[in-house]
Amino acid sequence: MAMELSNKMSRGIIERIKEISGQDPHLCMQCGTCSAGCTGREVMELLPRQVMRLIQLGDARVLHCRSIWVCSTCLLCTARCPRGIDLARLMEALRVINLRSGREVLVAEKIPVELLTRVPQMALTSGMRKLSA
């Protein structure tokens, strides 16, 4: 019974990610090319290949990993993927699912005023678009 419920949850997560991203995570063969080229891999808790594996498994833990927020959407993984998977879109889909469920990573009211005066306006705008609902 628990396994059946787990499989339903897994399919639900995978279907939501497919619907939002337009990508099929099951095309990934886990070659690791995305992780090898990732510019943010040194600060990610899970490498892009590992995030993709959790997506393939329908593991809801992927929604709570910091790596999806660290992804800069530079598209290097997408350009190098031998299967043509747009991993950046999958990462964005994970962020969207979080934001739609009310999980904000960046709350404007909590940004220190001194930071607002030092950070370029474009960086603030980009951060707000990516990290808030």
Side-chain angles (χ1 to χ4, degrees):
M1 182 71 141
M3 182 67 138
E4 187 177 311
L5 181 61
S6 177
N7 285 340
K8 281 185 179 180
M9 288 174 53
S10 297
R11 282 192 300 271
I13 291 169
I14 295 168
E15 290 309 311
R16 287 177 68 194
I17 292 168
K18 280 182 172 181
E19 179 184 327
I20 294 168
S21 70
Q23 301 296 303
D24 183 358
H26 291 106
L27 293 176
C28 176
M29 61 184 175
Q30 293 289 303
C31 69
T33 303
C34 54
S35 295
C38 179
T39 59
R41 71 181 173 270
E42 291 171 8
V43 292
M44 290 183 166
E45 62 182 302
L46 296 174
L47 296 175
R49 182 191 64 76
Q50 294 167 315
V51 170
M52 180 63 88
R53 186 65 185 145
L54 289 178
I55 292 171
Q56 289 174 328
L57 295 172
D59 193 327
R61 290 179 298 173
V62 74
L63 295 171
H64 304 288
C65 79
R66 198 180 84 218
S67 300
I68 66 174
W69 302 103
V70 172
C71 172
S72 66
T73 319
C74 69
L75 303 176
L76 201 52
C77 55
T78 299
R80 293 184 175 176
C81 178
R83 295 290 195 122
I85 300 168
D86 191 339
L87 183 55
R89 277 190 168 190
L90 288 163
M91 293 285 207
E92 178 66 17
L94 294 169
R95 291 190 294 263
V96 165
I97 290 169
N98 273 298
L99 294 172
R100 286 180 182 171
S101 68
R103 180 175 178 230
E104 289 195 53
V105 176
L106 181 63
V107 180
E109 294 79 24
K110 293 184 179 180
I111 300 173
V113 175
E114 58 274 5
L115 186 64
L116 291 174
T117 60
R118 291 195 336 246
V119 175
Q121 188 175 14
M122 184 58 104
L124 288 172
T125 302
S126 175
M128 291 303 292
R129 286 184 178 159
K130 180 177 177 180
L131 304 172
S132 63

